[in-house]
């Protein structure tokens, strides 16, 4: 139905205005997923590849696992939601890693070594986190320590970047490593 005196007003700030009689308002919501800054993502990748972990083995980085089966097999719940958020930025990490090919493989090997060291610990499932989530949380903490040790005491002083940006990059790199089967076990 079209109203004779109906006017559309743009508020400019994405808020809604309804003026007149009999107007219908449709609200659409979108989730704002920030893309990580490439410079932060590159810095995190290089920090990991420069860490002092051994990186002897060679890995095939061209294959992806069946994520859902892998989540179930490894009893991942919390990190499934986290990885889902960052999966939309998968092409970004692919582009960043193409620009640092040598460090890409070194970084993934070192993350795999962190995983192997972490999975040896004895984790018990809890009401809060499953065993798989606990392993991933431990890996996240170790990578965060590696990155912040490389950056120094205050990561915020590095060109005004925030800790959250570095954490987002770490989650994205972990997700990438997860899809390449370098973190957690492949389902049998």
């Amino acid at each position: 139905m079209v109203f004779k005196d109906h006017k559309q007003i743009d508020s400019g700030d994405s808020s809604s205005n309804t003026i007149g009689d009999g107007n219908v308002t449709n609200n659409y919501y979108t989730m704002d997923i920030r893309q990580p800054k490439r410079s932060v993502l590159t810095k995190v990748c290089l920090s990991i590849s420069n860490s002092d972990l051994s990186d002897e083995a060679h890995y095939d980085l061209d294959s992806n696992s069946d994520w859902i089966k892998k989540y179930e097999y490894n009893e991942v719940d919390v990190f499934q939601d986290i990885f889902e958020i960052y999966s939309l930025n998968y092409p970004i990490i692919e582009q960043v890693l193409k620009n640092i090919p040598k460090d890409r493989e070194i970084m993934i090997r070192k993350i795999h070594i962190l995983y192997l060291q972490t999975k040896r610990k004895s984790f018990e499932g809890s009401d809060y986190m499953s065993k798989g989530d606990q392993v991933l949380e431990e890996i996240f903490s170790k990578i965060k320590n590696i990155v912040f040790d490389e950056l120094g005491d205050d990561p915020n002083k590095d060109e005004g970047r925030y800790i959250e940006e570095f954490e987002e990059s770490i989650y994205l790199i972990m997700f990438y490593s997860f899809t390449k089967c370098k973190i957690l076990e492949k389902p049998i």
Side-chain angles (χ1 to χ4, degrees):
M1 175 191 294
V2 177
F3 295 97
K4 182 178 177 183
D5 295 325
H6 178 263
K7 293 182 181 179
Q8 182 175 349
I9 299 174
D10 182 9
S11 65
D13 65 354
S14 299
S15 62
S16 60
N17 289 320
T18 305
I19 300 173
D21 293 333
N23 289 326
V24 175
T25 303
N26 293 319
N27 294 318
Y28 299 95
Y29 300 97
T30 58
M31 190 168 139
D32 182 27
I33 307 262
R34 288 186 356 188
Q35 292 185 350
K37 292 182 180 176
R38 291 172 196 261
S39 60
V40 173
L41 189 55
T42 300
K43 195 170 282 271
V44 171
C45 291
L46 292 173
S47 293
I48 296 167
S49 66
N50 291 333
S51 69
D52 62 355
L53 295 168
S54 169
D55 64 345
E56 300 299 318
H58 175 76
Y59 298 105
D60 174 23
L61 298 178
D62 294 325
S63 63
N64 276 332
S65 62
D66 182 342
W67 304 342
I68 301 302
K69 287 181 183 175
K70 193 169 177 182
Y71 290 137
E72 291 170 358
Y73 183 79
N74 289 283
E75 301 176 27
V76 176
D77 184 43
V78 174
F79 270 80
Q80 181 176 353
D81 295 336
I82 292 170
F83 286 169
E84 239 177 73
I85 292 168
Y86 293 101
S87 66
L88 300 175
N89 292 321
Y90 194 87
I92 292 171
I93 190 161
E94 283 283 345
Q95 289 175 339
V96 167
L97 292 174
K98 281 181 183 174
N99 293 329
I100 52 172
K102 177 184 170 241
D103 292 314
R104 168 187 184 222
E105 205 167 305
I106 292 169
M107 178 195 70
I108 296 299
R109 283 191 300 237
K110 289 185 177 186
I111 289 173
H112 184 70
I113 290 165
L114 278 177
Y115 164 67
L116 293 174
Q117 292 170 346
T118 303
K119 83 172 191 172
R120 291 185 186 124
K121 289 177 105 177
S122 177
F123 292 102
E124 293 182 21
S126 68
D127 291 340
Y128 173 67
M129 280 189 156
S130 67
K131 181 179 177 180
D133 284 320
Q134 290 177 26
V135 168
L136 291 170
E137 183 65 35
E138 180 83 13
I139 292 169
F140 173 80
S141 295
K142 288 179 178 182
I143 293 173
K144 186 174 174 180
N145 288 337
I146 288 168
V147 171
F148 288 169
D149 285 348
E150 171 109 359
L151 295 174
D153 293 335
D154 185 8
N156 289 328
K157 73 179 179 188
D158 185 44
E159 299 177 29
R161 296 190 181 105
Y162 298 103
I163 291 174
E164 291 81 14
E165 291 174 323
F166 287 94
E167 290 176 343
E168 289 172 350
S169 293
I170 293 167
Y171 283 129
L172 181 55
I173 291 165
M174 286 179 63
F175 173 69
Y176 180 82
S177 300
F178 171 83
T179 64
K180 300 299 183 183
C181 291
K182 305 309 166 214
I183 297 179
L184 299 180
E185 301 299 315
K186 287 183 186 178
I188 302 174

